[in-house]
Amino acid sequence: MNYIVILGLVAAALTTFSSLPQVIKIIKIKSTKDISLGTYILVVTGIILWLIYGLLIKDLPLIAANIVSLILTVTILGFKIKYK
């Protein structure tokens, strides 16, 4: 791996895992009252498109980051629907 790919993976990890505290908080308090359903629908849609783009251009940082981001944001979206 060259330094550009490593830079991309580090940047992707930081932005991707920024959703983790929200997931943990939702699990702890079992509430999504202050979470916008519309926002997470748009975010999940955008992440799916970024993942498809990453797969098409075979870009490891985009693929890895968006798989993890998709898991985290779908989790939040699922809890939002469950606790509505």
Side-chain angles (χ1 to χ4, degrees):
M1 256 190 280
N2 66 39
Y3 72 94
I4 295 172
V5 173
I6 293 169
L7 177 67
L9 288 170
V10 171
L14 292 173
T15 56
T16 295
F17 289 108
S18 67
S19 296
L20 190 57
Q22 187 68 62
V23 171
I24 292 168
K25 183 176 180 178
I26 290 169
I27 290 169
K28 281 183 179 179
I29 66 171
K30 294 184 178 21
S31 174
T32 58
K33 180 179 76 165
D34 297 325
I35 304 275
S36 167
L37 179 62
T39 296
Y40 273 89
I41 289 171
L42 290 172
V43 169
V44 166
T45 303
I47 291 169
I48 290 168
L49 294 175
W50 273 116
L51 178 57
I52 292 168
Y53 176 73
L55 290 167
L56 290 172
I57 66 168
K58 297 178 175 83
D59 186 285
L60 179 60
L62 278 176
I63 295 166
N66 285 294
I67 287 172
V68 176
S69 289
L70 188 60
I71 291 167
L72 292 172
T73 55
V74 165
T75 300
I76 293 169
L77 184 59
F79 280 126
K80 178 63 180 175
I81 292 166
K82 178 181 178 181
Y83 295 137
K84 191 167 184 182

